Amino acid sequence: MKAIDLIIKNRKRQEITQKQCAQILNVAKSTYSEIEKGRIQLKADDFLILCEFLKIKPSEFLQEKQTETLISLTTHEKKILTEASKILFDKTSK
């Protein structure tokens, strides 16, 4: 599964619109639509915001082969996302 497919699947499963995702990221709906089409990459901070909003652990994406097309990450940024995922989701699961 492509990384963007995981976002789309979770967004639709939760009945969240592209407009709502765009509002959370403070971008136009058309910009968010381009993100889902793979034409625009997410910035790392927007990626984390979207993950939290959609209740997806960022670490789920690190196992996806297609993550590079969604977001450009260095090895260091991948480590940070993994740690942020643990902090964010351990806190919410308590």
Side-chain angles (χ1 to χ4, degrees):
M1 174 185 293
K2 291 183 180 180
I4 194 63
D5 294 334
L6 185 59
I7 287 177
I8 295 168
K9 177 183 168 187
N10 278 277
R11 177 180 64 75
K12 288 182 177 180
R13 182 176 45 81
Q14 296 176 58
E15 298 181 3
I16 295 172
T17 66
Q18 285 186 339
K19 183 178 179 180
Q20 289 171 300
C21 288
Q23 288 172 331
I24 288 296
L25 297 178
N26 200 29
V27 298
K29 182 191 171 290
S30 59
T31 300
Y32 183 79
S33 177
E34 293 295 303
I35 290 168
E36 284 197 356
K37 290 177 185 174
R39 296 181 183 154
I40 296 176
Q41 285 187 332
L42 282 168
K43 293 182 272 180
D45 55 339
D46 287 341
F47 174 71
L48 287 174
I49 291 167
L50 190 58
C51 284
E52 186 173 13
F53 181 62
L54 296 175
K55 299 174 182 69
I56 304 170
K57 292 182 181 181
S59 59
E60 290 181 47
F61 291 93
L62 300 178
Q63 291 134 16
E64 296 292 334
K65 300 247 185 240
Q66 299 296 322
T67 299
E68 299 80 29
T69 61
L70 174 67
I71 182 172
S72 179
L73 296 174
T74 65
T75 302
H76 180 68
E77 288 171 327
K78 286 180 183 180
K79 287 179 185 177
I80 291 171
L81 283 176
T82 300
E83 290 305 311
S85 176
K86 289 177 188 174
I87 292 167
L88 284 171
F89 289 94
D90 285 346
K91 184 170 56 174
T92 59
S93 63
K94 291 181 181 178

